[in-house]
């Protein structure tokens, strides 16, 4: 503890930002020296230790874990008093501060009821930890990342051209060392300039957990993630964990969840994953919105009523160049009265250069932009889940390609599950879905299915596997200020 106090004196001589960042780095290191595991349930602690003060070291560790997480996810200055107290070598200061700190946890998470004040402080602290599987995974990963950050400068690796397998390159030793520090390599050799096969495998593993194309070629995107400092990684993990954990408090046992920057859909049935699928979401200029709604209908062989924005930006330029575009892609055109219009190719080209106050509807069948299925849920953005004829696009690593709707790779499986569970007229569904007929039919559900479109860019897939994804809509600006803003909004909603 004396060493900690001496280091805090040194920190106090630095500027404020560095001071508090360094403070909770040291606090986290302090936590790593204290007892780690706490598998005992709060009720057992109360029974075994009713009316007695819990072991201070374990209490300090649990409080340090929790405060560090919230400090990283928010403004560390908001927690500087607590961080300073928990770094103290005076046990009584920790015990005196604990009740107010526990109350802050209650207010922050806005979930459940705290244990009675007659319970030990340790029991209360454990009871207020997020009761989710990945909490300790995130805490342990954050500890490692902050330890890495405290080791020294995370030098920027400059992009000097693509590095391909079997190349010799001066950046290879630093890349190999960085992969080892981040847990993506155990090959051992961090001195060779040779981009050898085992290091290629390590890079591919690194690329996969960052949502990149796992081709083993080290380009600007791979280097961007290699250059991401451990400190920024820790903040992204903490911020997204808080967003995800608070969001999941509202989820029911069965639901659909689409994580937009991960380009992934998961179907949860009775609390367990039933189906996972790659998806395509809106491009940056036509973003898929974050929302919650209820899937209420499935459309078999849907037609596509072209939104005005897509008509103006995408289709009219094509019609101006090629008057046969409408016919070749099976579009019907209607005026404001609903009457169908039929003109020759040259006339369509001429009309496309004017106001074009008409509705375009693409007929169901082969080549329809929505494919065979459309899952409808009420929302103010005119987005939905659907099939697509362009299956090859699911092989792209960067799948922000649509105009806002979500294209689902495993739409057949998802649609059949929906039909088996919720479609009222199953006889009609079975008859129509098994034929090649192109008749459009809406099917109603006897029960709606919750659907959630979220934006999470970092999470843990296991005790030691952290996942990161690109900020495709620039909502985080390579830091967490905007995440923090969204977090505070959610806290007040």
């Amino acid at each position: 503890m004396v060493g900690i106090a001496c280091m805090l004196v040194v920190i106090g001589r630095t500027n404020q930002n560095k001071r508090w960042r360094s403070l909770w780095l040291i606090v986290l290191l302090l936590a790593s020296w204290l007892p780690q595991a706490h598998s005992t349930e709060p009720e057992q602690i109360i029974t075994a230790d009713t009316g007695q003060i819990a072991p201070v070291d374990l209490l300090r560790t649990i409080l340090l874990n929790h405060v560090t997480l919230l400090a990283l996810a928010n403004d560390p200055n908001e927690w500087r008093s607590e961080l300073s107290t928990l770094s103290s070598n005076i046990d009584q200061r920790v015990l005196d501060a604990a009740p107010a700190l526990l109350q802050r946890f209650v207010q922050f998470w806005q979930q459940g009821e705290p244990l009675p004040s007659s319970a030990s402080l340790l029991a209360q602290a454990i009871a207020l930890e997020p009761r989710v599987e990945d909490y300790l995974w995130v805490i342990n990963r954050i500890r490692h990342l902050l330890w890495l950050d405290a080791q020294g400068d995370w030098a920027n690796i400059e992009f000097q051209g693509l590095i391909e397998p079997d190349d010799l390159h001066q950046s290879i030793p630093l890349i190999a060392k960085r992969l080892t520090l981040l847990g993506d390599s155990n090959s051992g050799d961090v001195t060779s300039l040779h981009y050898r096969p085992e290091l290629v495998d390590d890079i591919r593993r690194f690329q996969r957990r960052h949502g990149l194309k796992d081709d083993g070629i080290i380009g600007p995107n791979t280097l961007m993630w290699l250059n991401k400092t451990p400190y920024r990684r820790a903040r992204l993990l903490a911020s997204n964990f808080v967003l995800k954990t608070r969001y999941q408090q509202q989820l029911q046992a069965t639901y659909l969840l689409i994580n937009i920057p991960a380009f992934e859909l998961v179907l949860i049935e009775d609390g367990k994953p039933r189906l996972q699928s790659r998806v395509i979401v809106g491009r940056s200029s036509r973003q898929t919105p974050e929302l919650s709604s209820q899937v209420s209908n499935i459309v078999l062989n849907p037609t596509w009523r072209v939104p005005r924005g897509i008509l103006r930006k995408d289709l009219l330029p094509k019609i101006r160049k090629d008057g046969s575009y409408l016919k070749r892609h099976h579009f019907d055109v209607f005026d404001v009265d609903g009457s169908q219009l039929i003109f020759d190719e040259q006339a369509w080209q001429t009309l496309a250069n004017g106001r074009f106050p008409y509705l375009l509807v693409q007929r169901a069948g082969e080549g329809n932009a929505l494919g065979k299925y459309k899952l409808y849920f009420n929302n103010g953005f005119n987005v939905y889940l659907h099939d697509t004829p362009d299956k090859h696009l699911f092989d792209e690593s960067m799948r922000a390609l649509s105009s806002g709707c979500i294209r689902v790779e495993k739409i057949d499986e998802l649609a059949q599950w929906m039909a088996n569970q919720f479609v009222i007229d199953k006889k009609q569904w079975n008859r129509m879905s098994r034929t090649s007929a192109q008749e459009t039919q809406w099917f109603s559900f006897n029960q709606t299915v919750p659907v959630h479109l979220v934006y999470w860019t970092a999470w843990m897939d296991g005790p030691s596997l952290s996942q990161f994804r690109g900020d495709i809509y620039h909502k985080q600006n390579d830091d967490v200020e905007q995440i923090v803003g969204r977090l505070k909004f959610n806290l007040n909603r």
Side-chain angles (χ1 to χ4, degrees):
M1 289 293 186
V2 175
I4 292 291
C6 293
M7 283 188 283
L8 290 176
V9 171
V10 175
I11 293 169
R13 297 171 185 163
T14 64
N15 64 59
Q16 188 179 45
N17 290 337
K18 290 183 178 179
R19 173 187 173 189
W20 291 114
R21 176 182 168 189
S22 300
L23 173 58
W24 46 259
L25 283 175
I26 292 175
V27 166
L28 197 63
L29 292 174
L30 171 61
S32 69
W33 299 336
L34 297 173
Q36 300 299 306
H38 56 277
S39 59
T40 309
E41 292 295 322
E43 291 77 8
Q44 294 173 317
I45 295 175
I46 295 171
T47 302
D49 197 24
T50 301
Q52 300 181 20
I53 297 175
V56 178
D57 282 350
L58 185 54
L59 174 64
R60 188 197 310 266
T61 299
I62 294 171
L63 295 178
L64 278 168
N65 286 342
H66 210 149
V67 171
T68 300
L69 175 75
L70 301 185
L72 283 164
N74 290 268
D75 180 358
N77 285 316
E78 294 182 6
W79 296 89
R80 61 183 180 179
S81 175
E82 290 80 1
L83 290 167
S84 179
T85 297
L86 293 173
S87 68
S88 168
N89 62 352
I90 303 174
D91 290 347
Q92 192 59 47
R93 288 188 62 190
V94 176
L95 295 174
D96 291 343
L101 190 53
L102 295 174
Q103 186 58 40
R104 284 195 72 180
F105 295 163
V106 172
Q107 294 171 352
F108 185 91
W109 291 109
Q110 297 183 351
Q111 180 185 28
E113 293 293 330
L115 293 179
S117 57
S118 58
S120 69
L121 291 173
L122 178 58
Q124 294 181 59
I126 293 175
L128 290 175
E129 287 185 325
R131 309 298 281 183
V132 290
E133 181 182 36
D134 55 342
Y135 174 65
L136 289 180
W137 298 350
V138 168
I139 288 297
N140 290 333
R141 190 59 184 172
I142 285 174
R143 282 181 174 176
H144 177 69
L145 290 169
L146 294 182
W147 176 82
L148 285 180
D149 196 76
Q151 301 308 299
D153 184 37
W154 196 262
N156 191 63
I157 304 173
E158 297 292 340
F159 177 68
Q160 300 171 344
L162 297 177
I163 305 176
E164 302 193 20
D166 211 35
D167 281 354
L168 295 175
H169 198 280
Q170 61 183 2
S171 296
I172 290 298
L174 182 54
I175 290 172
K177 178 180 179 182
R178 196 153 292 180
L179 289 172
T180 300
L181 292 173
L182 291 172
D184 294 285
S185 174
N186 57 7
S187 59
D189 186 358
V190 295
T191 59
S192 173
L193 300 179
H194 180 214
Y195 189 24
R196 56 200 181 279
E198 57 269 30
L199 189 58
V200 174
D201 291 340
D202 296 337
I203 280 290
R204 294 185 64 194
R205 185 182 306 112
F206 178 87
Q207 289 171 329
R208 283 193 295 272
R209 73 179 187 92
H210 290 84
L212 304 174
K213 184 177 181 180
D214 60 341
D215 56 7
I217 298 174
I218 303 174
N221 289 329
T222 301
L223 282 182
M224 183 274 290
W225 281 111
L226 285 168
N227 286 327
K228 186 79 69 178
T229 66
Y231 171 71
R232 290 190 180 280
R233 288 176 178 272
R235 294 208 69 180
L236 285 171
L237 272 177
S239 300
N240 281 276
F241 172 82
V242 169
L243 283 174
K244 180 169 70 73
T245 302
R246 283 189 50 81
Y247 195 94
Q248 289 178 329
Q249 294 174 11
Q250 66 180 301
L251 300 182
Q252 300 176 9
T254 298
Y255 59 89
L256 279 173
L257 187 142
I258 296 93
N259 187 3
I260 297 167
F263 311 122
E264 183 179 70
L265 172 148
V266 60
L267 167 63
I268 302 295
E269 182 180 18
D270 295 328
K272 298 179 180 179
R274 174 62 184 264
L275 173 71
Q276 286 184 298
S277 176
R278 296 184 293 186
V279 299
I280 292 169
V281 302
R283 68 199 75 164
S284 181
S285 59
R286 305 180 194 180
Q287 299 178 9
T288 297
E290 298 174 68
L291 60 83
S292 292
S293 186
Q294 301 281 333
V295 180
S296 57
N297 301 85
I298 185 169
V299 187
L300 185 64
N301 302 318
T303 58
W304 180 38
R305 295 169 61 94
V306 181
R308 290 297 299 179
I310 296 177
L311 171 64
R312 184 179 65 256
K313 296 175 183 177
D314 297 341
L315 297 191
L316 287 182
K318 295 176 181 178
I319 298 169
R320 293 182 194 120
K321 294 180 180 179
D322 179 8
S324 68
Y325 181 86
L326 293 172
K327 182 178 179 180
R328 288 189 296 103
H329 292 274
H330 313 294
F331 283 101
D332 294 324
V333 185
F334 300 90
D335 63 17
V336 293
D337 297 321
S339 300
Q340 185 173 353
L341 303 177
I342 299 176
F343 295 109
D344 61 28
E345 296 177 7
Q346 184 175 358
W348 285 129
Q349 284 182 289
T350 302
L351 289 168
N353 282 286
R355 291 180 54 249
F356 206 87
Y358 309 120
L359 170 66
L360 263 60
V361 179
Q362 190 176 36
R363 295 189 292 274
E366 185 178 356
N368 181 280
L370 306 187
K372 188 174 182 179
Y373 307 102
K374 166 184 168 181
L375 299 182
Y376 172 80
F377 50 93
N378 187 41
N379 64 89
F381 302 94
N382 194 27
V383 298
Y384 36 82
L385 306 178
H386 66 87
D387 189 12
T388 176
D390 299 319
K391 309 291 188 184
H392 65 282
L393 294 177
F394 290 110
D395 291 329
E396 298 291 331
S397 58
M398 174 58 174
R399 295 193 295 278
L401 303 169
S402 80
S403 293
C405 288
I406 301 100
R407 309 174 196 172
V408 183
E409 182 179 31
K410 295 183 180 179
I411 190 68
D412 292 288
E413 296 176 51
L414 180 59
Q416 195 58 53
W417 180 87
M418 291 273 187
N420 292 339
Q421 298 288 328
F422 305 113
V423 162
I424 296 173
D425 192 348
K426 289 183 171 58
K427 183 177 180 180
Q428 177 80 338
W429 170 269
N430 289 332
R431 182 186 68 81
M432 293 189 64
S433 63
R434 293 171 183 172
T435 69
S436 59
Q438 298 179 359
E439 178 185 356
T440 300
Q441 180 67 49
W442 281 66
F443 290 89
S444 297
F445 289 178
N446 56 25
Q447 177 183 328
T448 59
V449 184
V451 58
H452 305 280
L453 279 56
V454 300
Y455 195 94
W456 302 330
T457 61
W459 65 92
M460 296 294 296
D461 260 352
S464 59
L465 183 61
S466 56
Q467 295 278 349
F468 295 89
R469 294 297 183 269
D471 179 17
I472 58 174
Y473 295 160
H474 310 291
K475 292 189 175 186
Q476 297 171 12
N477 286 341
D478 199 32
D479 209 335
V480 295
E481 276 68 22
Q482 291 197 23
I483 299 181
V484 171
R486 292 162 61 209
L487 172 62
K488 291 180 179 177
F489 172 80
N490 287 336
L491 288 173
N492 293 324
R493 69 181 178 185

